[in-house]
Amino acid sequence: MRHIISILVENEAGALSRISNMFSARGYNIESLTVAPTEDASMSRMTVVTVGSDEVIEKITKQLNKLVEVVKVVDLSEAEHIERELMLIKVRAGAKEREDVKRMADIFRGRVIDVSDNTYTIELTGDGAKLDAFIQALDQSAILETVRTGSSGIGRGNRILRA
Amino acid sequence: MDRIKTEELTGAQILIRCLQAEGVEVVFGYPGGAVLWIYDELFKQDKIRHVLVRHEQGAAHAADGYSRSSNKIGVCLVTSGPGLTNAVTGIATAYMDSIPMIVISGQVPTHAIGEDAFQECDSVGITRPCVKHNFLVRDVKDLAVTMKKAFHIATTGRPGPVLVDIPKDVTTHTCEFQYPETISMRSYNPVKKGHAGQIKKAVQLLLEAKRPMVYTGGGVVLSNASAQLKDLIKRTGFPITNTLMGLGAYPGTDDQFLGMLGMHGTFEANMAMQHCDVLLAIGARFDDRVIGNPAHFASDPRKIIHIDIDPSSISKRVKVDVPIVGNIPDVLSDFLGLLEKSKTQDIKVWWKQIDEWRGKDCLKYDRKSKIIKPQFVLEKLYEVTGGGAFITSDVGQHQMWAAQFYKFEQPRRWINSGGLGTMGFGLPAAMGAQMANPGATVACVTGESSIQMCLQELSTCKQYRLPIKIINLNNKYMGMVRQWQQFFHGNRYSESYMDALPDFVKLAEGYGHSGLLIDKPADVEPALRETFKRKKDLVFLDFLTDQTENVYPMIAGGKGLTEMILSEDL
Ligand SMILES: Cc1ncc(C[n+]2csc(CCOP(=O)(O)OP(=O)(O)O)c2C)c(N)n1
Ligand SMILES: [Mg+2]
């Protein structure tokens, strides 16, 4: 099953590789990983999307907790949560295609953030499935470049992860 | 107004002060460019003794042996690049067995890092998977706090090696020195007390058990829980087995002790593990060499209680019913408190069954042999040293025979590389044990192949007059490899014969020690007796043993605990 795990970690050089090392050394898979500092600059928040049975996920959270720099770990998928991912996608948009591409972007509530004679760059946020759907909806041969951040997640309501 | 004068010290001076503040008495190391300033400061003081090894692997194993054989922490010091890479085997060895240890490595100056400088390597990157934690100190102001953290992390929770990498310029930069008295880290807070509810549940299971079994590992030794363990076993009358790492945690001569379990464990210990109805596992991790195939193990129903300081060791290979995370001595004391007013089941029938299994006498060997049997040497070693020596070992058949035949009465006396299985560990580990326990009897049980992996340390032993006794069980084979080839590869002894062996007696003499070749069973005991009388000398005993002897019982890889190959089967 797919799980989304949130990790609070000391913002120290090497912390990221310690975490990614642990996944590869023990053969756990990472579908995506995002990391950036929090409002407290001494700490980073990481979101890892992984796939595994409940047993494997339990092992992953235990191994994460064991890392000296990891402050807290929570499996967001255990309860109500929200997930968002940002995608920047550059598509061919000459005179012929412009209107179609723009319309499609509007339907998905995407924004055109850069324009050239023959390209549009569109910004789109949502959960992974929505981004997938947008890619599917486009003319595949028109896609020039895609950049996705991977999922970030947060618990709903009073579900709060802090140090 | 006068300002309080704090001391302005160099990084190298600060490092030495930190080690002194931690009570470090001995550092095992080897100098080089990046650590010259540190060596300079070592030279100028006389509180910390430096032991100059002959290869950095030896430094790491010696520091490790120092930790294992005492309650002190081993420290090793190596230079950048090859100094550090040479130490990696020793660091990984300590990591696999959860041994607290501090490794200090020199690094190229901060401005040169990343430029492929002379003797540069990414020490933090290389060691990351085989340390509990590591640090690169980029600023001399961070050095003291980092050292404090390193000692704290290495010795608390599930212990392990911690590496501190110090660039050369940091050792010359100065700052005010103050060693923190305590340290707290929001991201690192090992659990101590076990959960009271879980402990209650566990004790209830023990009280209901009709076929109880206690299985303990290295965690009991590391947490110094032998006294509590002994109380528990005596109070309950339950049978107990130790893993290879746990030997000595419970007296090896006691009637309730079933011997070691696992791949080369006793018939009775393995059978009791499989057929018990309640299993109490303490500071052990159900690894592949211990329970063999986990599916086979799970095929007999039993309730499992598992006590460990490390939550990630629980339910890793085997699902447990009552997990208890906590410091073992504390948890066992809680157990004892609860057991006080209650009565355990009558387990006479269970003991009768166990005694039947014991009747197999699974460790029997040919005592009339004209060729020296390795088991015989170890039995005599045990007799001659009265069970009280520090015994280090290398890796192979000799290691297993030592574990089977030497009856350890106390913890921290049996020192071997269980997790990584590192040949070459024995001799340098014995140096560490001897440094930590001056005056004690220290013997290294080894094989002709293993001993050659860190042989150069004979020179260190000479320099520091370490009177280690080397028990070389010379079967002219990588015996353990040969055994597997005999059992599982149709007797094709591919590259397992150690040809062109040196004359070990002359070799020992070349290093300034004494050596003795023993090739007759009748000479074994006299040679040992003479040797252990020599309190001041290192003596290398080269026993020419039966080349065809195998270790029994044996569980083949992937097989279940009860699927043992016994000597009588062949
Ligand atoms: C560094 C290292 N290399 C290889 C091995 C694999 N290995 C395990 S036991 C063994 C043979 C050991 O031979 P010896 O020291 O003579 O001991 P014996 O088994 O004959 O008692 C080997 C090669 C190992 N454990 N460690
Ligand atoms: Mg051999």
Side-chain angles (χ1 to χ4, degrees):
Chain A
M1 217 183 73
R2 177 179 179 276
H3 286 253
I4 176 159
I5 297 173
S6 267
I7 307 159
L8 272 179
V9 55
E10 295 289 349
N11 191 2
E12 273 164 27
L16 172 61
S17 43
R18 242 178 264 282
I19 289 170
S20 58
N21 253 9
M22 189 283 287
F23 274 85
S24 65
R26 294 189 183 268
Y28 306 137
N29 102 324
I30 297 183
E31 285 210 336
S32 72
L33 185 159
T34 68
V35 57
T38 62
E39 79 282 1
D40 169 359
S42 70
M43 223 162 5
S44 290
R45 169 91 172 231
M46 202 178 279
T47 310
V48 179
V49 176
T50 182
V51 176
S53 63
D54 288 352
E55 269 158 46
V56 168
I57 300 300
E58 186 184 330
K59 287 181 191 181
I60 290 176
T61 52
K62 282 175 172 175
Q63 291 295 343
L64 284 169
N65 272 310
K66 193 161 130 184
L67 298 173
V68 168
E69 283 153 341
V70 168
V71 182
K72 269 199 182 142
V73 180
V74 67
D75 179 359
L76 285 179
S77 17
E78 274 178 352
E80 290 283 296
H81 67 282
I82 302 162
E83 263 182 71
R84 286 291 179 274
E85 181 176 359
L86 168 68
M87 172 166 71
L88 304 178
I89 184 162
K90 191 176 288 183
V91 290
R92 191 162 10 82
K96 280 204 283 96
E97 300 106 341
R98 290 215 154 196
E99 209 167 306
D100 277 353
V101 172
K102 178 72 173 70
R103 189 170 344 109
M104 198 54 79
D106 286 344
I107 291 171
F108 280 84
R109 298 195 198 293
R111 290 198 303 142
V112 178
I113 55 170
D114 185 50
V115 178
S116 75
D117 287 351
N118 52 359
T119 66
Y120 269 167
T121 300
I122 299 157
E123 171 197 311
L124 190 66
T125 49
D127 60 18
K130 175 179 162 187
L131 305 192
D132 291 343
F134 182 61
I135 292 174
Q136 287 306 317
L138 292 169
D139 168 10
Q140 299 300 296
S141 66
I143 300 175
L144 301 173
E145 205 179 334
T146 50
V147 189
R148 295 173 66 156
T149 58
S151 288
S152 289
I154 196 163
R156 273 195 190 273
N158 287 326
R159 218 177 153 218
I160 290 159
L161 177 63
R162 296 182 69 87
Chain B
M1 265 210 285
D2 281 351
R3 283 190 50 211
I4 304 167
K5 262 211 190 129
T6 47
E7 276 178 295
E8 186 88 7
L9 299 179
T10 67
Q13 289 167 333
I14 289 172
L15 175 65
I16 302 297
R17 290 286 194 90
C18 293
L19 295 177
Q20 290 171 345
E22 290 290 343
V24 172
E25 294 160 6
V26 185
V27 169
F28 300 89
Y30 205 93
V35 287
L36 279 173
W37 292 109
I38 300 173
Y39 272 85
D40 210 26
E41 291 306 323
L42 272 173
F43 188 85
K44 293 182 198 158
Q45 57 86 54
D46 57 6
K47 287 206 183 100
I48 297 171
R49 192 150 174 228
H50 180 270
V51 173
L52 177 68
V53 295
R54 299 304 190 259
H55 184 297
E56 289 86 350
Q57 181 181 348
H61 288 329
D64 175 329
Y66 186 90
S67 289
R68 291 186 203 233
S69 65
S70 68
N71 246 327
K72 301 179 271 191
I73 178 163
V75 178
C76 83
L77 168 61
V78 297
T79 194
S80 67
L84 180 277
T85 54
N86 270 352
V88 167
T89 298
I91 300 171
T93 301
Y95 180 67
M96 282 295 274
D97 291 341
S98 306
I99 306 303
M101 171 164 113
I102 300 290
V103 184
I104 298 156
S105 53
Q107 183 53 277
V108 300
T110 44
H111 57 81
I113 290 177
E115 301 193 335
D116 301 321
F118 177 63
Q119 295 195 327
E120 178 182 1
C121 74
D122 175 10
S123 306
V124 163
I126 286 174
T127 57
R128 193 173 287 132
C130 63
V131 292
K132 183 170 174 189
H133 198 60
N134 58 18
F135 297 94
L136 169 63
V137 183
R138 287 177 171 275
D139 187 332
V140 67
K141 289 196 206 75
D142 300 331
L143 182 55
V145 177
T146 305
M147 289 308 295
K148 184 77 194 176
K149 281 186 186 167
F151 277 92
H152 176 59
I153 293 168
T155 52
T156 52
R158 179 176 181 173
V162 176
L163 173 127
V164 183
D165 198 30
I166 310 178
K168 187 166 186 179
D169 55 338
V170 172
T171 64
T172 60
H173 294 164
T174 62
C175 75
E176 286 178 2
F177 171 65
Q178 209 183 6
Y179 197 61
E181 270 179 16
T182 56
I183 193 108
S184 86
M185 298 167 69
R186 64 179 166 189
S187 63
Y188 176 74
N189 297 292
V191 198
K192 281 215 176 90
K193 283 255 356 113
H195 189 279
Q198 292 292 88
I199 291 175
K200 234 190 211 151
K201 257 199 236 166
V203 168
Q204 195 51 42
L205 278 180
L206 293 181
L207 291 174
E208 288 161 10
K210 296 220 159 59
R211 298 187 311 279
M213 178 69 177
V214 181
Y215 140 65
T216 79
V220 175
V221 177
L222 289 167
S223 65
N224 298 313
S226 287
Q228 290 84 347
L229 177 66
K230 220 153 110 187
D231 284 355
L232 181 78
I233 298 304
K234 285 295 148 196
R235 164 71 188 76
T236 55
F238 290 173
I240 174 171
T241 178
N242 289 163
T243 66
L244 178 67
M245 294 311 297
L247 291 173
Y250 191 81
T253 49
D254 189 85
D255 260 358
Q256 281 165 258
F257 185 61
L258 306 192
M260 179 174 76
L261 83 164
M263 182 173 269
H264 295 296
T266 65
F267 185 72
E268 52 271 30
N270 288 339
M271 293 300 277
M273 271 295 276
Q274 186 73 23
H275 296 292
C276 63
D277 65 349
V278 175
L279 178 64
L280 172 60
I282 313 173
R285 56 191 178 90
F286 294 90
D287 77 271
D288 53 317
R289 288 301 194 254
V290 165
I291 57 155
N293 182 340
H296 180 280
F297 184 64
S299 65
D300 278 291
R302 66 178 87 62
K303 293 275 182 224
I304 302 178
I305 305 160
H306 191 178
I307 310 171
D308 206 285
I309 190 82
D310 176 9
S312 73
S313 280
I314 298 179
S315 289
K316 185 173 65 179
R317 295 192 78 241
V318 164
K319 245 230 109 29
V320 310
D321 301 282
V322 186
I324 302 172
V325 177
N327 190 32
I328 296 168
D330 298 336
V331 176
L332 292 187
S333 297
D334 291 348
F335 270 53
L336 285 161
L338 288 178
L339 279 166
E340 218 158 75
K341 299 160 233 110
S342 23
K343 222 170 115 49
T344 49
Q345 303 290 312
D346 179 352
I347 56 167
K348 273 199 214 83
V349 182
W350 178 227
W351 270 114
K352 198 164 155 258
Q353 169 68 74
I354 290 172
D355 284 336
E356 227 166 82
W357 289 326
R358 266 180 173 161
K360 272 236 185 252
D361 191 14
C362 66
L363 298 180
K364 62 178 169 262
Y365 65 91
D366 177 11
R367 284 164 193 282
K368 292 190 213 87
S369 166
K370 297 234 160 34
I371 311 167
I372 299 177
K373 288 286 182 183
Q375 299 98 321
F376 178 67
V377 178
L378 288 160
E379 267 182 2
K380 290 297 164 195
L381 176 69
Y382 168 69
E383 279 175 36
V384 168
T385 56
F390 288 86
I391 305 288
T392 73
S393 153
D394 268 302
V395 174
Q397 292 182 315
H398 61 273
Q399 175 190 26
M400 293 302 128
W401 285 316
Q404 291 176 335
F405 287 89
Y406 200 96
K407 297 183 175 55
F408 293 93
E409 291 298 308
Q410 293 165 62
R412 298 191 179 277
R413 299 298 162 111
W414 166 238
I415 292 159
N416 84 129
S417 166
L420 200 65
T422 309
M423 290 170 70
F425 175 79
L427 178 57
M431 301 188 325
Q434 189 77 77
M435 288 301 296
N437 302 276
T441 304
V442 178
C444 165
V445 175
T446 185
E448 79 298 326
S449 312
S450 289
I451 191 68
Q452 294 193 71
M453 285 213 178
C454 276
L455 190 66
Q456 72 287 344
E457 300 306 331
L458 283 176
S459 176
T460 312
C461 294
K462 185 66 191 172
Q463 182 174 348
Y464 299 92
R465 300 195 167 78
L466 302 176
I468 295 159
K469 308 298 184 272
I470 297 174
I471 312 296
N472 188 36
L473 299 181
N474 187 345
N475 52 9
K476 300 194 175 135
Y477 269 109
M478 296 172 197
M480 189 55 93
V481 174
R482 189 202 55 71
Q483 178 169 346
W484 281 60
Q485 289 171 333
Q486 180 190 336
F487 287 11
F488 313 119
H489 297 273
N491 297 313
R492 291 181 299 279
Y493 297 145
S494 176
E495 304 296 325
S496 55
Y497 181 65
M498 261 293 174
D499 215 345
L501 283 171
D503 178 333
F504 286 108
V505 172
K506 278 199 188 132
L507 198 65
E509 286 167 2
Y511 277 105
H513 304 296
S514 333
L516 193 63
L517 183 97
I518 302 104
D519 58 3
K520 283 192 265 323
D523 295 340
V524 170
E525 186 169 344
L528 286 167
R529 290 217 180 271
E530 277 315 300
T531 296
F532 281 95
K533 273 187 205 145
R534 295 171 66 176
K535 300 280 182 223
K536 292 214 156 62
D537 306 322
L538 183 150
V539 184
F540 194 117
L541 296 179
D542 189 18
F543 292 95
L544 298 191
T545 59
D546 188 344
Q547 290 185 258
T548 60
E549 189 57 80
N550 290 322
V551 184
Y552 299 106
M554 174 170 190
I555 302 168
K559 294 281 182 184
L561 263 180
T562 54
E563 301 172 302
M564 285 170 269
I565 307 171
L566 299 174
S567 56
E568 64 190 24
D569 295 340
L570 295 159

